[in-house]
Amino acid sequence: MVGDYYKTLDINRNATDADIKKAYRRLALKFHPSSNRETGSTETFCQLGEAYDVLSDPRKKATYDKFGEDGLTGGIPPEFGSSGAWSSKYVYHGKPEKTFRDFFGGDNPFADFLTNDTPLQFGGLQPGAVKTQGPQIERDLHLSLDDLFHGCSKHIKISHRVMNEDGHTSGIKDKILAINVKPGWKEGTRIIFPKEGDQGPNCIPGDIVFIVRQTSHSLFVRQHNDLIYKAQITLQMALIGFSVDVQTLDGRLISIPVNDIVHPSYHKVVTGEGMPLSQDPERRGNLIITFDIQFPKKLSADRKYLIKHALTFK
């Protein structure tokens, strides 16, 4: 464990994604064991790789910022697991060269790049070099159930490296990516932006992929295209009938009569009141109502007598 990742990259805790990339680029080139006999350091280079691996990943960074080293390496407590932060135990893979190659692209990073400040003294753009595509970058896109029911537009700012006109130096630029969320999209839906990753002289930019992560809802649980709603009812209601009022995601209040006897495994299906189907938003899944029957905690002798005779069938 490095300790203070921000201190390792010589940045403050308000650093943006672009600041993190700039800091890693500068320091990784400076301390790479092959770059310079005076500054090259295997230990420092490994620490830089671990710090960048954590701070460049929103989920790992969120866990580190909120729970510190213990939360990152030990895993966050289950009660915090729904926050969207990294929940498993983090261990750096210990391969700073891999982190370096993934950042700059190519198997021989020093063969391709010149920095903004100082050209590398060995290598540069190799004539006739075969361009390879950089690694795919994946980011979570957290959406509410309402977003996925109605559809919406999300605008996300990314910071990526682009080549300057001279073809040798590069800089960090911000770009806004627009995502049109379609009604009915599910957890795990992948939205791909081709070649929006970092550029390099001998590197084709990798794709940026956003993966839909659905946040929890106060009333409904989603199950594929169906919505599950749990209603609390009394034992009396379970036996003699009642109606359930449900506020739908599109703002309607619907009343569902229940005339059956509600037993523990009973559920009521309301057709066409679930999530829209992503391929055909005019069609919808079902609303499934389950029931939590509240039994009385105590019964007097008189009430027991009455219930006994009321439930005696002849």
Side-chain angles (χ1 to χ4, degrees):
M1 181 74 185
V2 169
D4 189 333
Y5 291 127
Y6 291 96
K7 185 176 180 180
T8 299
L9 289 180
D10 194 25
I11 54 178
N12 61 46
R13 289 183 172 269
N14 295 322
T16 64
D17 186 55
D19 295 332
I20 294 169
K21 287 184 177 181
K22 288 179 182 177
Y24 176 73
R25 178 181 295 105
R26 176 175 59 84
L27 295 173
L29 289 172
K30 179 179 179 181
F31 290 101
H32 192 286
S34 301
S35 66
N36 189 304
R37 290 183 178 180
E38 295 181 2
T39 61
S41 169
T42 301
E43 181 180 357
T44 302
F45 184 63
C46 187
Q47 292 175 349
L48 291 168
E50 182 177 341
Y52 179 75
D53 186 60
V54 172
L55 297 183
S56 64
D57 186 301
R59 298 178 72 185
K60 297 175 189 174
K61 182 176 181 295
T63 300
Y64 178 69
D65 288 345
K66 187 170 184 178
F67 300 101
E69 176 182 345
D70 292 339
L72 186 68
T73 59
I76 62 175
E79 59 266 28
F80 297 105
S82 61
S83 65
W86 187 268
S87 59
S88 59
K89 297 180 180 180
Y90 170 74
V91 178
Y92 183 53
H93 51 64
K95 299 177 181 177
E97 288 285 358
K98 179 182 184 302
T99 305
F100 190 79
R101 285 195 299 270
D102 288 346
F103 181 87
F104 285 101
D107 292 330
N108 183 7
F110 285 106
D112 290 354
F113 286 87
L114 299 171
T115 68
N116 288 330
D117 302 321
T118 307
L120 297 180
Q121 299 303 313
F122 43 90
L125 181 61
Q126 301 298 314
V130 177
K131 287 191 174 185
T132 59
Q133 186 166 19
Q136 189 176 84
I137 300 170
E138 295 185 351
R139 293 288 183 265
D140 287 344
L141 177 64
H142 295 281
L143 297 171
S144 69
L145 192 59
D146 293 273
D147 289 336
L148 296 170
F149 181 89
H150 296 285
C152 62
S153 294
K154 296 290 183 180
H155 294 83
I156 300 174
K157 184 172 76 172
I158 63 168
S159 298
H160 61 169
R161 181 164 52 82
V162 297
M163 296 301 298
N164 295 325
E165 292 183 359
D166 59 17
H168 298 287
T169 59
S170 62
I172 295 294
K173 289 188 177 180
D174 293 336
K175 183 174 183 178
I176 303 296
L177 299 180
I179 299 177
N180 293 318
V181 178
K182 303 298 183 184
W185 274 5
K186 298 177 181 178
E187 173 90 8
T189 296
R190 299 168 68 88
I191 307 98
I192 302 174
F193 288 88
K195 300 180 181 180
E196 290 291 356
D198 290 336
Q199 295 180 349
N202 283 348
C203 177
I204 300 170
D207 300 338
I208 294 181
V209 181
F210 290 93
I211 304 173
V212 171
R213 302 298 181 197
Q214 180 185 298
T215 59
S216 59
H217 192 273
S218 59
L219 296 179
F220 301 104
V221 174
R222 184 177 184 179
Q223 188 177 79
H224 304 297
N225 293 317
D226 297 332
L227 292 174
I228 313 298
Y229 177 86
K230 179 178 284 189
Q232 290 191 345
I233 61 172
T234 65
L235 180 58
Q236 175 184 325
M237 295 166 66
L239 295 175
I240 66 174
F242 57 96
S243 63
V244 180
D245 292 334
V246 180
Q247 185 79 37
T248 64
L249 290 174
D250 54 4
R252 293 174 296 118
L253 183 65
I254 59 175
S255 184
I256 300 101
V258 179
N259 299 316
D260 302 319
I261 293 176
V262 178
H263 51 77
S265 60
Y266 177 85
H267 59 268
K268 180 79 172 181
V269 178
V270 184
T271 305
E273 290 291 352
M275 293 292 291
L277 277 59
S278 58
Q279 301 300 322
D280 184 4
E282 296 299 319
R283 298 174 56 202
R284 288 167 58 172
N286 299 325
L287 171 64
I288 301 174
I289 305 175
T290 61
F291 301 94
D292 182 10
I293 304 172
Q294 305 295 306
F295 285 79
K297 294 182 178 180
K298 293 182 180 180
L299 286 173
S300 66
D302 291 341
R303 288 180 179 271
K304 289 181 180 180
Y305 176 82
L306 292 172
I307 292 173
K308 178 179 178 180
H309 283 274
L311 297 180
T312 300
F313 302 103
K314 295 182 179 179

